[in-house]
Amino acid sequence: MTTRQVVDQSLPKPNILRAEDNPVNHLLAQKLLQKLGQLVTAANNGREALQLWEQNQSRQFDIILMDLQMPEMDGLQASARLREQELATGAHIPIIAVTAHAIKGDRERCLAAGMDGYLTKPINPGELAATILAAFPAVLKLPADAVDALSEAPSDAELLARFDGDGEILKELAGIFLQECPRMLDEIREALRTRDPKLLKRAAHTRKGSVGNFAMSGQRETAQRLESLAKSGELFGAEDIFHALEQQVAPFNQILARHAAEPAHQPR
Ligand code: MN
């Protein structure tokens, strides 16, 4: 997927702060990001990023893309310090980690440092766009502990909590969801094909409710965006949002398939 395909030009664009020490990576990311953001500000290391963020409190950045390995101050340190400062105001700017290699445990370290999402280099334009769309403005004001929307991967505990800790109900509903999933997506496709805002509104609403049950906050946000657009009666950009939604489906369905296949619990 190209950046163009997932970016709805009618949506408001975020101010992006980008920290990266490699000039070549910087230039490439800059080109991609300029299509996505109304303003892209560059920092060469974590210390600079932190300073720029501090200076910009009045014209707040909307999102930070943070390289992990940088001289002076690395991405983890910079993020942790920024989160400390945010405690005073209760604000929460989405920080997306960008890393050269997905080392096992990297993602966990990023989340522990207060980062919200995770991208690997070389940056895939579609992934970048989807990540930024998911983060903006969806997670803008969420508290740190509520944010796992970007990775679209709730833990088993989070999933279970949605069903009152009852594995049987989760298993049953995961199975039903997977059965219904293709039909739900087909309905949206049909609405887009026939340019039918009413049908799109209903189909997106159904999708939103269904994924919401399973703590899929990223998908829920995307479906919500589609529903809002359909409500306006103007379908411009709807395909792009649907493409973003389609990208979010597979990883999630894999998780649900695992739960649906759990062996039956012993009767108590
Ligand atoms: Mn680096």
Side-chain angles (χ1 to χ4, degrees):
M1 189 186 319
T2 67
T3 314
R4 190 181 48 75
Q5 281 174 316
V6 288
V7 178
D8 178 353
Q9 296 297 340
S10 70
L11 293 171
K13 290 181 166 191
N15 282 350
I16 301 170
L17 175 59
R18 160 102 178 116
E20 164 70 61
D21 64 313
N22 177 321
V24 179
N25 288 347
H26 221 341
L27 197 64
L28 176 63
Q30 201 79 357
K31 297 262 180 233
L32 297 174
L33 286 170
Q34 270 159 2
K35 296 183 190 170
L36 301 168
Q38 56 184 10
L39 187 71
V40 182
T41 305
N44 295 309
N45 57 59
R47 191 181 304 286
E48 270 187 32
L50 195 58
Q51 281 167 357
L52 281 164
W53 174 78
E54 283 166 0
Q55 290 160 11
N56 262 272
Q57 301 282 349
S58 58
R59 196 201 58 194
Q60 195 62 267
F61 291 113
D62 294 305
I63 188 165
I64 301 177
L65 290 194
M66 188 81 88
D67 184 26
L68 285 193
Q69 296 181 332
M70 293 181 287
E72 304 261 342
M73 186 187 288
D74 68 30
L76 291 173
Q77 274 180 298
S79 301
R81 294 218 188 162
L82 189 152
R83 290 294 182 236
E84 261 172 43
Q85 295 195 36
E86 278 184 337
L87 288 177
T89 60
H92 184 97
I93 186 169
I95 305 178
I96 312 296
V98 184
T99 179
H101 30 235
I103 302 172
K104 194 167 151 35
D106 246 13
R107 191 175 164 276
E108 287 67 28
R109 273 191 291 279
C110 289
L111 296 179
M115 298 164 112
D116 305 300
Y118 189 89
L119 280 172
T120 48
K121 288 190 264 192
I123 291 179
N124 170 306
E127 249 174 62
L128 176 70
T131 304
I132 288 185
L133 283 182
F136 176 81
V139 300
L140 216 49
K141 300 298 176 218
L142 280 187
D145 62 354
V147 178
D148 206 355
L150 301 174
S151 64
E152 266 284 286
S155 65
D156 288 357
E158 278 173 302
L159 257 177
L160 263 175
R162 293 293 174 114
F163 299 95
D164 203 24
D166 191 325
E168 279 301 343
I169 300 179
L170 170 57
K171 173 182 157 71
E172 190 183 340
L173 289 185
I176 293 171
F177 177 89
L178 290 173
Q179 226 173 355
E180 290 295 308
C181 186
R183 206 182 48 75
M184 277 191 272
L185 296 174
D186 277 347
E187 200 173 29
I188 298 177
R189 277 188 202 100
E190 180 63 16
L192 291 173
R193 194 181 63 77
T194 56
R195 313 299 295 168
D196 183 344
K198 263 194 180 149
L199 179 59
L200 181 62
K201 183 174 145 242
R202 200 179 66 219
H205 184 82
T206 303
R207 182 70 189 177
K208 183 184 77 176
S210 302
V211 294
N213 287 330
F214 295 96
M216 306 181 201
S217 36
Q219 271 195 68
R220 193 182 179 288
E221 287 298 336
T222 315
Q224 166 77 61
R225 204 177 291 135
L226 209 52
E227 186 189 357
S228 303
L229 193 67
K231 259 186 204 164
S232 76
E234 170 56 71
L235 297 188
F236 180 76
E239 274 88 1
D240 293 344
I241 301 177
F242 181 60
H243 286 314
L245 180 72
E246 279 183 308
Q247 291 249 308
Q248 295 169 314
V249 172
F252 233 101
N253 282 6
Q254 278 170 18
I255 294 176
L256 291 185
R258 180 165 54 74
H259 285 287
E262 291 266 299
H265 291 225
Q266 293 301 314
R268 269 170 253 183

